[in-house]
Each structure stands twice: as C-alpha cells, then as structure tokens.
Amino acid sequence: MAIRALVWGENVHERANKVVAEVYPGGMHQCIADVLQADPNITASTATLEQPEHGLTEEVLARTDVLLWWGHAAHGKVDDAIVERVATRVWQGMGLIVLHSAHFSKIFKRLMGTPCALKWREAGERERLWVVNPRHPIAAGLPEYFELENEEMYGEPFSVPEPMETVFISWFQGGEVFRSGLTYRRGAGNIFYFRPGHETYPTYHDATVGRVLRNAVTWAHNPLPAIADPTEAPNVPVDKALEPIEERGPKLHKAGEAGLR
Amino acid sequence: MAIRALVWGENVHERANKVVAEVYPGGMHQCIADVLQADPNITASTATLEQPEHGLTEEVLARTDVLLWWGHAAHGKVDDAIVERVATRVWQGMGLIVLHSAHFSKIFKRLMGTPCALKWREAGERERLWVVNPRHPIAAGLPEYFELENEEMYGEPFSVPEPMETVFISWFQGGEVFRSGLTYRRGAGNIFYFRPGHETYPTYHDATVGRVLRNAVTWAHNPLPAIADPTEAPNVPVDKALEPIEERGPKLHKAGEAGLR
Amino acid sequence: MAIRALVWGENVHERANKVVAEVYPGGMHQCIADVLQADPNITASTATLEQPEHGLTEEVLARTDVLLWWGHAAHGKVDDAIVERVATRVWQGMGLIVLHSAHFSKIFKRLMGTPCALKWREAGERERLWVVNPRHPIAAGLPEYFELENEEMYGEPFSVPEPMETVFISWFQGGEVFRSGLTYRRGAGNIFYFRPGHETYPTYHDATVGRVLRNAVTWAHNPLPAIADPTEAPNVPVDKALEPIEERGPKLHKAGEAGLR
Amino acid sequence: MAIRALVWGENVHERANKVVAEVYPGGMHQCIADVLQADPNITASTATLEQPEHGLTEEVLARTDVLLWWGHAAHGKVDDAIVERVATRVWQGMGLIVLHSAHFSKIFKRLMGTPCALKWREAGERERLWVVNPRHPIAAGLPEYFELENEEMYGEPFSVPEPMETVFISWFQGGEVFRSGLTYRRGAGNIFYFRPGHETYPTYHDATVGRVLRNAVTWAHNPLPAIADPTEAPNVPVDKALEPIEERGPKLHKAGEAGLR
C-alpha cells in the first residue's frame, strides 16, 4: 500500500504576496504534494490553515502516515489543541517532516522542547548542501552536494537538541553554516527537519529537493500499528507481577486507583 | 563560589498523608536540601507550590544554578507561565534535576517533547540500580550497584527521547527494568532524570542516593554566563554579512524588519 | 530482490561439545539461517571459521547484504585481514548483526573501538527482555516483553559506546540488567547487537528470537549502492574548488600529490 | 591539583621542512604545551615519536590526565602495541584530544572504529569556525565564531560515528563545510576531535585556538580513579548471585573457569 502523505501549508503568503503567488500559483502545499506524487509509492493530499480544524481532524490524521509542515507568517494562528493532537499522532507513529520556516512552528517546538531559534538573512544567496551521512536513506540517489542558487540564509546556532543523525550541512555564500537535515525519533514517530524552502524562491521546484522530500517521506514512514494511547501510564498490580512479590511497606494509592498525573 | 541549588517540592503529601509526614517531617524538599548541603560546594534553598509564583520568581531563578524538581499530586496546579519561565532558564544554562514522579511534571514533559509515560506498581519491592556508565561524574564514588529495599516500581517503556547518556538502569524484584538515570542537554542547560524517590519510603535519607544527588548538582551546573535571550532569532543584514554578497531575487521582508514567528 | 543474509558461525562447540551438538545438530549457523529463511524476503547462506578465508572471501562479502556473526571459543583464530575486510564491507553499507558471545569478537571490538566487556554467569536462569523502544522496526510484532527460561546472564556495565538507540533491556533472575538490543551506524553500515544465544540452550529455536533476527536483518539492510572506497581521502585541487579561491601561503604538498596517512 | 596534560607530537615536519620549522621553531608539541601552560590549572609536558616507546611508557601514561595527539607524516610508524596501550588508558579514564591531521592517526581510528576519512585542499584559504553548541565547556569564552585566515581545507563527509555532541562546524572559503569540534566518550575517557592545525600555518599561535585547547583539556579531564582493567569480563558465580538462584540446565564452563575471549 502506498504511503499516505499529507502536506500542510499555511497558504498565507501565496495569496497575500504577488511574488510568492507567481512562484507557487497553486500554493506551496500543492507544489510539494505534486512533487511527492512523482513517487508511485506515495499518495499525497493537502491541508491548510484556513480549513476547519486546519484540515487536521482526528479522522484525517488517523489515515496519515507522514505529515509535512510548512508555515511562516501564521504560526501563532495554529490552535494549541490541534498542535497537541498532531504531537500525539507523532508519538503514535506518524512521521513528521518539518520544512524551512516551520522551525518556529508550534508543533516543532512542542516536540523538540527547545526554542528552535537561528540566524537569518533574506538575500537570495547561494546555498550548498553537503551530504555528511552518505547512503543514509534520506540521501538516496544524491550527489555529494547540491546547490540552490537563491535561498534565504539560516545560520547556527540552531537551538535544537542533538539529533539522532545529521544528514546535511549547508554552506552559505555570506559566510554561515547550518545543520540542514536532522533526524529525531519522538515516541514511535520519525521526524526530519529539512532547511530549504523560502517562499520567494522556486526551491520546491528543484529536482534534488524533490528527491530529498520523497526520500524523507519513505524514511519517516513507520508501517507498524499505532501506539493506542502513548500518554497512558498503566498500573501493574502486585498480583499481576511477573515475578512473585509480596506487598511491603506503606502505600499512597488504594488498590485499583489510577496514578497521579 | 558554591553552586546555588534550589529544591522545588510540591509539599502536598507531606501535609496530607500521615505516612509521608512521618518519613519527611520537614517536607521532602527540606530533606533533599539538607542532603545537598552536606557538600560544602553546594548551597541549597527550597521553594514550594503554595508560595507566590510557586517560589520561582524571575529573581529567584536568576540566582539559581541548578533546580531540583519533585512533584506528584499536583502537576496540574503548576502555572503554565511559570513552567515556561523555568524552561527558558534551562535553555539559558540553569541545570535541572528531575526526581521520580516528576517524570510527569509539566516542566519535564515541556523539555522532552514526549509523554514521559511508564508502568508503575506501589508494592515496596526491592530496586537495584546498576551503574552502566562507570566513572561518569554522576556515578562518582558509587559501587557498581546500589539497592533500595523498598521502592515503587517504574517499568519500561519510558517514553522519553534517546538520552545523551544512560547512567543507571534499575532491576526490580517484580520483574521489570527501567532506565533510572538519564542525561540530556537542552539549550545550555544540563538535565538529569533520576528515578528513585517515592514519598512513602525513606529514599532521600539513603546515603548513596544523597551522593547521587550531590554528584548530579555538580554535573548539571553550567558556570558559563547565561544566554541572554535563547528564543531570539536575529537578522543578519546583507551589509553585515561576513563575506561580501550582493542581494539578489525577490524579498518578503523589508530591510530592518523583524522575522516572523 | 530478497535480502541476502550470511550467517557466520564458529562451528566449534557444535562439534566438540555433546550438549551443543544435541541442541544444534546442524550447527548454530544453520539453525539461524533456517530461522531467517522463514521470511520470504530473506535468503540465507552460511559460512564458518574452518573454511578457506573463513568463508568470507571478497566475492562472498560483495554479494552479502547483511552478515550475522556468532562466535565464542575461537575469536582469536579469526584472521586479522579478514576482520579488516569485513569492517570495510560494513563501512561500505553491509549490515552486521552481532550475536551473544560475539560481543568479544574481533569484528565487533574493531567497529566499536571499546573493550565490549561485561559480567557473566552460566546458570540457566530466566531472562526477560523488555522492549524499550516500541514500534522500532527490530521490535515489529513483539509483545512488550518476552522471556527465555534458560539463558546465560550478561550483566552491566557493558563497555560499548552509547548506542544510536536502545531497543531491548534484559532483566535477569539473579539480579542483573543488560542492554540487550543496541543499534549503531558505522560508515554506511547498520549494526545491531543482540544479546541472547548461549550455545547450550535452545535460544535460536525460540519463535520470538526468530522474529527479532528476521526484523534485524530487514532493518540492517542498506539497499543503496556500496561506497566504493570508504577509506579514501580525496584531494580537491584549487582549480576544482566550488568557489573561486586563490592559493595562498606556504604548502607542504606538491600539486597532485597524494595525502599523507 | 593541576591537570596533567601530555602533548604528543610527531616532530617530523618541524625538522624536515623549512616552512614548518620557521612557524614552530621549538616543534609543534612544544608550542601546544606552552599554550596549555597559560592556564595555571594545567601542567603540560611533551612526548615525541622518536623517543623510546614514543615517549608513551606505562609510567608516563599512568600520570597523564589528558593526552593531545598531533601527527601527519608518520602515522604508520607508531607502534601498534603503543596504540593499544593508549587506547586502554583512554578506556580507563584518560582524556584524549585529537588534532587536525591526527584524524588518520592509528589511535583515533582505533577508538572510532571507522575510516575517519575526509576531503582536503592545501590552499591557505579562510576557515570560519561557528559555535553550534553555545555555553558548551569547550566553547567557554568564545565569540559566536572565529576565523583562521589561512588553513588547510577539510571537507565532509567525515567518516566518524555520530558524535555525542557537535561543538564547532567550519565554513571554508572554497565552498566546503566540516564538523570541526566533536565529542565522544569511549569507556571512561572523554575524546575531543579539533580540526584546525595544519603545520605550515601559525594556527597554534592563535589566541582563540589556544583558548579552545585549554578548554578542551579541562573538559576532557576525568578526575575519578582509573578503571583498573577495562577489558576484564568477570564471572559472577551462582552462589554470589544477588538474588537466590538455582543452577539449571547444561553448562559449557566448569565452576571457576575463566570466560572465553
């Protein structure tokens, strides 16, 4: 069965800004979804901020294997309850791919537990992404580096936790570097942060970027059954202990009582 | 200068539950603070839930090098704004030591980005903590294992991110295991989770546990200056670029404009 | 195309020790290969110590996707040149699964860079393996724990590097714990250490152990093309630099000269 | 007590190459030792390749807290037995700082278990090292970046294991990037790889580089007692088990017999 990807886009600048509208006439989310569809093993749909529940209902998330997230102008307009719902789905096993300015999205900050801040400069300068982990699934089919002639600069320090793996590091014309491809696992969910994708440049039309996105969806997909309730803390009663034990000492909880939280 | 530790205690069960009151007549926070004071290089004070701002004002946190956190019955009563304030201080460089049932505290879940759930059983069974990282600073002076004759059981899976280091793993009489000592770094802050410490048992009176707590405070202390604003994302203007670049392509932001977030 | 697994067995105790011969009449390597063959996506062959080049010729390794390694009595008899050949294949992308007493094999110590030492006791005691990373590919289809009624005990500290991921932790009847499932990546090669498998017990006949082995082979397989020469350190001449630079300052190397090593 | 640092230098190019001799008239090892002595908490001595046992006798290593290693032309002349001796001291708790071209030293490759290969170009180009882990002890007192106007380029991919922490990433004028400051722990030993230091440039005379070296020595120092025999695998007899167990099943080993290895 194909991997069911869902591309979430803010869809704000595409409508408010003429430059962005020209680069992405169907919206950035649609462009990214089209790029993913080039892989016959991926089916891609889209959701946007202005939809009810931002297009991220329980039902939609339940049938999503990998969620891609692009946002910039309206991070604050994303409902906290929806963020928590998405986080829960990630812990259950849904993959998450965080794109460019979504480093400041609520969902990424929620899952990282850090500010996710960085330096930036919008000057259309050259970015060169080096593969630092050759033969990583996300780098499949890539040359040792690839270039984007016009991109926004993001510079270190990037205040995220040490990643599981560093896949890409970017060189910028103006003198900065950035860890541009980072993997994490949170609960049963695989997370990939991918740096490029400023809305005024045609980054998501780039063939190598497309390859990375398709690779990342394939890598992030966890085919195993969802963890039913990842936040549950089950009690194991004494008489169900795997080794015979005898209850000793004073107790806080009565038998059968739920734990505190 | 001595390391300034602050022990935060919920101070609920010590007053509401006769058993706990007898084990910790001055409150758990005071017992832990006394244990820390046994190290002449540590000065320890306390703060509790019922104080204004939970005793965690900006001023108090600014002069705290390492915060220890014990909570169980009243995680939900901790104000979200105070949680965010503590998180910010951790990113700035304050150490944080999370004790036992504080695995479900708002501050730990905030910094981990995961549910931090586990199995549990309150049966006063034997726990044996094995040092899996010999000569780690937190294990200084410890034997290869130590035992607590009566403890609450916590069992895997413990839904936290992969740690920077695993220092202790517990064996439980009833058949479970648990990663009982885990280190993390979030921003400039060093974080240590330490499992033992159920309120109905005299765990914090145990000499080896005391040694671990003092070691952990010493390890978590970051003596470097606080990061002033860890959530800031500074713009680097084109004319301040370290290498000469020329602005190219369309722009979203006007010169001098703050970034979106 | 099926994953090509190769099971390397020492094949010493199976012939010298009556007990082992009865548990594994065809040799442990053959039993493990049969277990793998239960997955139609895996084809498994075997190689043993006494074969020319230990059955690990360049040709054999070139067509091996994942190598499994069991050894105990004769680690020292494995030729150093063959060890280096296997290490190179791992760096190129071959998966490696290290079983039980192979913690002390030359190839595992070579790839870890640490002693890989541990405690042990041969008493046929109960081992219970807990899944600490639910929905990890290597734990696919497993319950939250599984038991082996008779196994050799291995105890911490296990002197290996911090793993990429901890998948299993074992509880032992006699009071010890052990990190029984650990993942690593070295070069393009995925490595999994799996603890159980003492030769006097029928561990490799256990259905759950079989499932873990098949999962591990699937996980360790890197389908990308091998890295041709992972030890090469290529020079990038000035006139091939990606950004125009001018040679400056004194030089140690003449143009076109190979690097020192 | 001061930290006892030992600077190991190959001392080949300083005598054979006029350029190097002029930059480092007392030898690179002596220059680095002088730089370390600027910290009153460090005492630094030196050892070189041509000395008996390369100056690394058991006695010398036993009184060394942190070893710094610079080599380039003569990696192959370092005796394998000495390499093993140094590795053992690292596992016991000695810190190790690996400098520049020592990425290809036997001791670094031994401890990493990977090729430690990279790209290179000797063109005296500009290197800018960014601090990606602010307030890390090794970055104490450093600005957000520092520059070396003339350095050899090292480019990714650098075939080392994922580090515990990435402290520095370098930007090179010619278009490459490199992870220039990486931490590892192997056994009880802390390891830091630091990239700069090509012998034809005055890198070790740079004030910021000096600060990094002193910071790294302080960070790498493990003050705890050495692990006596890090390669030992002790047997725990049944009658010494921490929990009462009864021996069951067939045995390979006789009582009191040493383990196989």
PDB file of all heavy atoms in Angstrom, chain B residues 41-68:
ATOM      1  N   ASN B  41      30.481  22.579  48.659  1.00  0.00           N
ATOM      2  CA  ASN B  41      30.469  23.361  47.425  1.00  0.00           C
ATOM      3  C   ASN B  41      29.066  23.640  46.909  1.00  0.00           C
ATOM      4  O   ASN B  41      28.896  24.152  45.814  1.00  0.00           O
ATOM      5  CB  ASN B  41      31.284  22.651  46.342  1.00  0.00           C
ATOM      6  CG  ASN B  41      32.740  22.566  46.716  1.00  0.00           C
ATOM      7  OD1 ASN B  41      33.335  23.549  47.156  1.00  0.00           O
ATOM      8  ND2 ASN B  41      33.316  21.375  46.590  1.00  0.00           N
ATOM      9  N   ILE B  42      28.062  23.236  47.693  1.00  0.00           N
ATOM     10  CA  ILE B  42      26.672  23.464  47.293  1.00  0.00           C
ATOM     11  C   ILE B  42      25.955  24.214  48.416  1.00  0.00           C
ATOM     12  O   ILE B  42      26.091  23.859  49.588  1.00  0.00           O
ATOM     13  CB  ILE B  42      25.935  22.124  47.047  1.00  0.00           C
ATOM     14  CG1 ILE B  42      26.633  21.308  45.952  1.00  0.00           C
ATOM     15  CG2 ILE B  42      24.465  22.360  46.679  1.00  0.00           C
ATOM     16  CD1 ILE B  42      26.047  19.910  45.736  1.00  0.00           C
ATOM     17  N   THR B  43      25.217  25.245  48.046  1.00  0.00           N
ATOM     18  CA  THR B  43      24.275  25.845  48.993  1.00  0.00           C
ATOM     19  C   THR B  43      22.889  25.570  48.463  1.00  0.00           C
ATOM     20  O   THR B  43      22.626  25.739  47.271  1.00  0.00           O
ATOM     21  CB  THR B  43      24.456  27.370  49.125  1.00  0.00           C
ATOM     22  OG1 THR B  43      24.243  27.962  47.850  1.00  0.00           O
ATOM     23  CG2 THR B  43      25.841  27.721  49.628  1.00  0.00           C
ATOM     24  N   ALA B  44      21.994  25.129  49.328  1.00  0.00           N
ATOM     25  CA  ALA B  44      20.677  24.700  48.869  1.00  0.00           C
ATOM     26  C   ALA B  44      19.571  25.466  49.576  1.00  0.00           C
ATOM     27  O   ALA B  44      19.587  25.595  50.795  1.00  0.00           O
ATOM     28  CB  ALA B  44      20.505  23.202  49.113  1.00  0.00           C
ATOM     29  N   SER B  45      18.637  25.964  48.795  1.00  0.00           N
ATOM     30  CA  SER B  45      17.433  26.552  49.377  1.00  0.00           C
ATOM     31  C   SER B  45      16.225  25.814  48.798  1.00  0.00           C
ATOM     32  O   SER B  45      16.380  24.878  48.009  1.00  0.00           O
ATOM     33  CB  SER B  45      17.374  28.045  49.077  1.00  0.00           C
ATOM     34  OG  SER B  45      17.539  28.265  47.689  1.00  0.00           O
ATOM     35  N   THR B  46      15.035  26.207  49.210  1.00  0.00           N
ATOM     36  CA  THR B  46      13.840  25.471  48.794  1.00  0.00           C
ATOM     37  C   THR B  46      12.758  26.416  48.295  1.00  0.00           C
ATOM     38  O   THR B  46      12.772  27.619  48.576  1.00  0.00           O
ATOM     39  CB  THR B  46      13.248  24.645  49.956  1.00  0.00           C
ATOM     40  OG1 THR B  46      12.785  25.553  50.957  1.00  0.00           O
ATOM     41  CG2 THR B  46      14.273  23.688  50.546  1.00  0.00           C
ATOM     42  N   ALA B  47      11.835  25.864  47.548  1.00  0.00           N
ATOM     43  CA  ALA B  47      10.654  26.600  47.092  1.00  0.00           C
ATOM     44  C   ALA B  47       9.535  25.576  46.978  1.00  0.00           C
ATOM     45  O   ALA B  47       9.795  24.396  46.725  1.00  0.00           O
ATOM     46  CB  ALA B  47      10.921  27.254  45.740  1.00  0.00           C
ATOM     47  N   THR B  48       8.305  26.029  47.169  1.00  0.00           N
ATOM     48  CA  THR B  48       7.189  25.076  47.129  1.00  0.00           C
ATOM     49  C   THR B  48       6.013  25.651  46.358  1.00  0.00           C
ATOM     50  O   THR B  48       5.903  26.874  46.150  1.00  0.00           O
ATOM     51  CB  THR B  48       6.732  24.680  48.540  1.00  0.00           C
ATOM     52  OG1 THR B  48       6.410  25.869  49.262  1.00  0.00           O
ATOM     53  CG2 THR B  48       7.806  23.893  49.277  1.00  0.00           C
ATOM     54  N   LEU B  49       5.134  24.754  45.987  1.00  0.00           N
ATOM     55  CA  LEU B  49       3.974  25.075  45.158  1.00  0.00           C
ATOM     56  C   LEU B  49       3.122  26.205  45.705  1.00  0.00           C
ATOM     57  O   LEU B  49       2.679  27.093  44.955  1.00  0.00           O
ATOM     58  CB  LEU B  49       3.113  23.804  45.034  1.00  0.00           C
ATOM     59  CG  LEU B  49       1.820  23.902  44.229  1.00  0.00           C
ATOM     60  CD1 LEU B  49       2.123  24.120  42.759  1.00  0.00           C
ATOM     61  CD2 LEU B  49       0.984  22.629  44.400  1.00  0.00           C
ATOM     62  N   GLU B  50       2.881  26.180  47.023  1.00  0.00           N
ATOM     63  CA  GLU B  50       1.906  27.116  47.589  1.00  0.00           C
ATOM     64  C   GLU B  50       2.435  28.533  47.710  1.00  0.00           C
ATOM     65  O   GLU B  50       1.666  29.461  47.973  1.00  0.00           O
ATOM     66  CB  GLU B  50       1.420  26.605  48.959  1.00  0.00           C
ATOM     67  CG  GLU B  50       2.389  26.778  50.115  1.00  0.00           C
ATOM     68  CD  GLU B  50       3.401  25.644  50.231  1.00  0.00           C
ATOM     69  OE1 GLU B  50       3.549  24.853  49.257  1.00  0.00           O
ATOM     70  OE2 GLU B  50       4.068  25.541  51.276  1.00  0.00           O
ATOM     71  N   GLN B  51       3.731  28.745  47.502  1.00  0.00           N
ATOM     72  CA  GLN B  51       4.277  30.100  47.587  1.00  0.00           C
ATOM     73  C   GLN B  51       3.836  30.931  46.378  1.00  0.00           C
ATOM     74  O   GLN B  51       3.487  30.376  45.342  1.00  0.00           O
ATOM     75  CB  GLN B  51       5.810  30.036  47.641  1.00  0.00           C
ATOM     76  CG  GLN B  51       6.340  29.339  48.905  1.00  0.00           C
ATOM     77  CD  GLN B  51       7.853  29.169  48.878  1.00  0.00           C
ATOM     78  OE1 GLN B  51       8.461  29.139  47.806  1.00  0.00           O
ATOM     79  NE2 GLN B  51       8.446  29.032  50.051  1.00  0.00           N
ATOM     80  N   PRO B  52       3.881  32.247  46.516  1.00  0.00           N
ATOM     81  CA  PRO B  52       3.562  33.089  45.352  1.00  0.00           C
ATOM     82  C   PRO B  52       4.496  32.736  44.187  1.00  0.00           C
ATOM     83  O   PRO B  52       5.709  32.563  44.404  1.00  0.00           O
ATOM     84  CB  PRO B  52       3.838  34.515  45.855  1.00  0.00           C
ATOM     85  CG  PRO B  52       3.803  34.419  47.350  1.00  0.00           C
ATOM     86  CD  PRO B  52       4.210  33.028  47.719  1.00  0.00           C
ATOM     87  N   GLU B  53       3.921  32.604  43.027  1.00  0.00           N
ATOM     88  CA  GLU B  53       4.673  32.183  41.823  1.00  0.00           C
ATOM     89  C   GLU B  53       5.411  30.867  42.080  1.00  0.00           C
ATOM     90  O   GLU B  53       6.460  30.612  41.482  1.00  0.00           O
ATOM     91  CB  GLU B  53       5.644  33.280  41.362  1.00  0.00           C
ATOM     92  CG  GLU B  53       4.938  34.616  41.130  1.00  0.00           C
ATOM     93  CD  GLU B  53       5.842  35.695  40.522  1.00  0.00           C
ATOM     94  OE1 GLU B  53       6.647  35.351  39.641  1.00  0.00           O
ATOM     95  OE2 GLU B  53       5.705  36.860  40.908  1.00  0.00           O
ATOM     96  N   HIS B  54       4.840  30.043  42.960  1.00  0.00           N
ATOM     97  CA  HIS B  54       5.440  28.760  43.353  1.00  0.00           C
ATOM     98  C   HIS B  54       6.873  28.928  43.871  1.00  0.00           C
ATOM     99  O   HIS B  54       7.679  27.992  43.800  1.00  0.00           O
ATOM    100  CB  HIS B  54       5.450  27.761  42.188  1.00  0.00           C
ATOM    101  CG  HIS B  54       4.159  27.640  41.457  1.00  0.00           C
ATOM    102  ND1 HIS B  54       2.917  27.683  42.076  1.00  0.00           N
ATOM    103  CD2 HIS B  54       3.884  27.486  40.123  1.00  0.00           C
ATOM    104  CE1 HIS B  54       1.959  27.548  41.162  1.00  0.00           C
ATOM    105  NE2 HIS B  54       2.513  27.439  39.975  1.00  0.00           N
ATOM    106  N   GLY B  55       7.196  30.116  44.333  1.00  0.00           N
ATOM    107  CA  GLY B  55       8.558  30.360  44.830  1.00  0.00           C
ATOM    108  C   GLY B  55       9.580  30.488  43.723  1.00  0.00           C
ATOM    109  O   GLY B  55      10.791  30.490  43.976  1.00  0.00           O
ATOM    110  N   LEU B  56       9.109  30.599  42.485  1.00  0.00           N
ATOM    111  CA  LEU B  56      10.019  30.601  41.328  1.00  0.00           C
ATOM    112  C   LEU B  56       9.909  31.920  40.565  1.00  0.00           C
ATOM    113  O   LEU B  56       9.595  31.953  39.372  1.00  0.00           O
ATOM    114  CB  LEU B  56       9.699  29.409  40.423  1.00  0.00           C
ATOM    115  CG  LEU B  56       9.846  28.034  41.097  1.00  0.00           C
ATOM    116  CD1 LEU B  56       9.276  26.933  40.209  1.00  0.00           C
ATOM    117  CD2 LEU B  56      11.305  27.742  41.427  1.00  0.00           C
ATOM    118  N   THR B  57      10.166  33.005  41.270  1.00  0.00           N
ATOM    119  CA  THR B  57      10.151  34.313  40.614  1.00  0.00           C
ATOM    120  C   THR B  57      11.357  34.435  39.679  1.00  0.00           C
ATOM    121  O   THR B  57      12.314  33.660  39.761  1.00  0.00           O
ATOM    122  CB  THR B  57      10.243  35.424  41.670  1.00  0.00           C
ATOM    123  OG1 THR B  57      11.472  35.267  42.383  1.00  0.00           O
ATOM    124  CG2 THR B  57       9.077  35.344  42.661  1.00  0.00           C
ATOM    125  N   GLU B  58      11.303  35.434  38.822  1.00  0.00           N
ATOM    126  CA  GLU B  58      12.439  35.719  37.933  1.00  0.00           C
ATOM    127  C   GLU B  58      13.716  35.902  38.750  1.00  0.00           C
ATOM    128  O   GLU B  58      14.782  35.401  38.379  1.00  0.00           O
ATOM    129  CB  GLU B  58      12.179  37.002  37.130  1.00  0.00           C
ATOM    130  CG  GLU B  58      11.061  36.912  36.110  1.00  0.00           C
ATOM    131  CD  GLU B  58      11.497  36.233  34.819  1.00  0.00           C
ATOM    132  OE1 GLU B  58      12.630  35.733  34.735  1.00  0.00           O
ATOM    133  OE2 GLU B  58      10.666  36.174  33.878  1.00  0.00           O
ATOM    134  N   GLU B  59      13.603  36.593  39.864  1.00  0.00           N
ATOM    135  CA  GLU B  59      14.775  36.892  40.691  1.00  0.00           C
ATOM    136  C   GLU B  59      15.361  35.608  41.282  1.00  0.00           C
ATOM    137  O   GLU B  59      16.575  35.413  41.302  1.00  0.00           O
ATOM    138  CB  GLU B  59      14.400  37.856  41.828  1.00  0.00           C
ATOM    139  CG  GLU B  59      13.976  39.243  41.362  1.00  0.00           C
ATOM    140  CD  GLU B  59      12.633  39.253  40.618  1.00  0.00           C
ATOM    141  OE1 GLU B  59      11.749  38.409  40.941  1.00  0.00           O
ATOM    142  OE2 GLU B  59      12.454  40.071  39.688  1.00  0.00           O
ATOM    143  N   VAL B  60      14.483  34.769  41.792  1.00  0.00           N
ATOM    144  CA  VAL B  60      14.948  33.519  42.388  1.00  0.00           C
ATOM    145  C   VAL B  60      15.629  32.649  41.328  1.00  0.00           C
ATOM    146  O   VAL B  60      16.729  32.121  41.544  1.00  0.00           O
ATOM    147  CB  VAL B  60      13.773  32.766  43.053  1.00  0.00           C
ATOM    148  CG1 VAL B  60      14.146  31.309  43.337  1.00  0.00           C
ATOM    149  CG2 VAL B  60      13.363  33.468  44.335  1.00  0.00           C
ATOM    150  N   LEU B  61      15.001  32.522  40.184  1.00  0.00           N
ATOM    151  CA  LEU B  61      15.586  31.677  39.127  1.00  0.00           C
ATOM    152  C   LEU B  61      16.906  32.250  38.623  1.00  0.00           C
ATOM    153  O   LEU B  61      17.840  31.504  38.303  1.00  0.00           O
ATOM    154  CB  LEU B  61      14.597  31.507  37.968  1.00  0.00           C
ATOM    155  CG  LEU B  61      13.410  30.586  38.270  1.00  0.00           C
ATOM    156  CD1 LEU B  61      12.422  30.590  37.112  1.00  0.00           C
ATOM    157  CD2 LEU B  61      13.873  29.160  38.556  1.00  0.00           C
ATOM    158  N   ALA B  62      16.977  33.582  38.567  1.00  0.00           N
ATOM    159  CA  ALA B  62      18.207  34.206  38.057  1.00  0.00           C
ATOM    160  C   ALA B  62      19.396  33.866  38.943  1.00  0.00           C
ATOM    161  O   ALA B  62      20.537  33.818  38.478  1.00  0.00           O
ATOM    162  CB  ALA B  62      18.025  35.722  37.962  1.00  0.00           C
ATOM    163  N   ARG B  63      19.156  33.635  40.227  1.00  0.00           N
ATOM    164  CA  ARG B  63      20.281  33.300  41.119  1.00  0.00           C
ATOM    165  C   ARG B  63      20.312  31.805  41.455  1.00  0.00           C
ATOM    166  O   ARG B  63      20.934  31.397  42.441  1.00  0.00           O
ATOM    167  CB  ARG B  63      20.255  34.175  42.366  1.00  0.00           C
ATOM    168  CG  ARG B  63      19.014  34.108  43.193  1.00  0.00           C
ATOM    169  CD  ARG B  63      19.183  34.920  44.500  1.00  0.00           C
ATOM    170  NE  ARG B  63      18.077  34.652  45.385  1.00  0.00           N
ATOM    171  CZ  ARG B  63      17.018  35.450  45.551  1.00  0.00           C
ATOM    172  NH1 ARG B  63      16.938  36.601  44.915  1.00  0.00           N
ATOM    173  NH2 ARG B  63      16.044  35.114  46.371  1.00  0.00           N
ATOM    174  N   THR B  64      19.660  30.997  40.623  1.00  0.00           N
ATOM    175  CA  THR B  64      19.691  29.543  40.797  1.00  0.00           C
ATOM    176  C   THR B  64      20.584  28.921  39.731  1.00  0.00           C
ATOM    177  O   THR B  64      20.404  29.161  38.545  1.00  0.00           O
ATOM    178  CB  THR B  64      18.267  28.959  40.692  1.00  0.00           C
ATOM    179  OG1 THR B  64      17.471  29.508  41.743  1.00  0.00           O
ATOM    180  CG2 THR B  64      18.285  27.444  40.794  1.00  0.00           C
ATOM    181  N   ASP B  65      21.547  28.100  40.168  1.00  0.00           N
ATOM    182  CA  ASP B  65      22.412  27.408  39.208  1.00  0.00           C
ATOM    183  C   ASP B  65      21.806  26.069  38.789  1.00  0.00           C
ATOM    184  O   ASP B  65      21.899  25.671  37.627  1.00  0.00           O
ATOM    185  CB  ASP B  65      23.791  27.154  39.828  1.00  0.00           C
ATOM    186  CG  ASP B  65      24.545  28.438  40.111  1.00  0.00           C
ATOM    187  OD1 ASP B  65      24.504  29.342  39.263  1.00  0.00           O
ATOM    188  OD2 ASP B  65      25.160  28.544  41.192  1.00  0.00           O
ATOM    189  N   VAL B  66      21.230  25.375  39.759  1.00  0.00           N
ATOM    190  CA  VAL B  66      20.650  24.057  39.475  1.00  0.00           C
ATOM    191  C   VAL B  66      19.332  23.929  40.239  1.00  0.00           C
ATOM    192  O   VAL B  66      19.291  24.150  41.454  1.00  0.00           O
ATOM    193  CB  VAL B  66      21.595  22.918  39.903  1.00  0.00           C
ATOM    194  CG1 VAL B  66      20.958  21.553  39.608  1.00  0.00           C
ATOM    195  CG2 VAL B  66      22.941  23.027  39.188  1.00  0.00           C
ATOM    196  N   LEU B  67      18.282  23.569  39.519  1.00  0.00           N
ATOM    197  CA  LEU B  67      16.962  23.395  40.123  1.00  0.00           C
ATOM    198  C   LEU B  67      16.658  21.904  40.210  1.00  0.00           C
ATOM    199  O   LEU B  67      16.841  21.172  39.240  1.00  0.00           O
ATOM    200  CB  LEU B  67      15.916  24.100  39.256  1.00  0.00           C
ATOM    201  CG  LEU B  67      14.444  23.997  39.676  1.00  0.00           C
ATOM    202  CD1 LEU B  67      14.193  24.704  41.004  1.00  0.00           C
ATOM    203  CD2 LEU B  67      13.550  24.591  38.584  1.00  0.00           C
ATOM    204  N   LEU B  68      16.201  21.460  41.388  1.00  0.00           N
ATOM    205  CA  LEU B  68      15.733  20.075  41.537  1.00  0.00           C
ATOM    206  C   LEU B  68      14.220  20.117  41.661  1.00  0.00           C
ATOM    207  O   LEU B  68      13.681  21.011  42.326  1.00  0.00           O
ATOM    208  CB  LEU B  68      16.350  19.421  42.776  1.00  0.00           C
ATOM    209  CG  LEU B  68      17.888  19.301  42.736  1.00  0.00           C
ATOM    210  CD1 LEU B  68      18.539  20.472  43.421  1.00  0.00           C
ATOM    211  CD2 LEU B  68      18.376  17.982  43.314  1.00  0.00           C
TER     212      LEU B  68
END
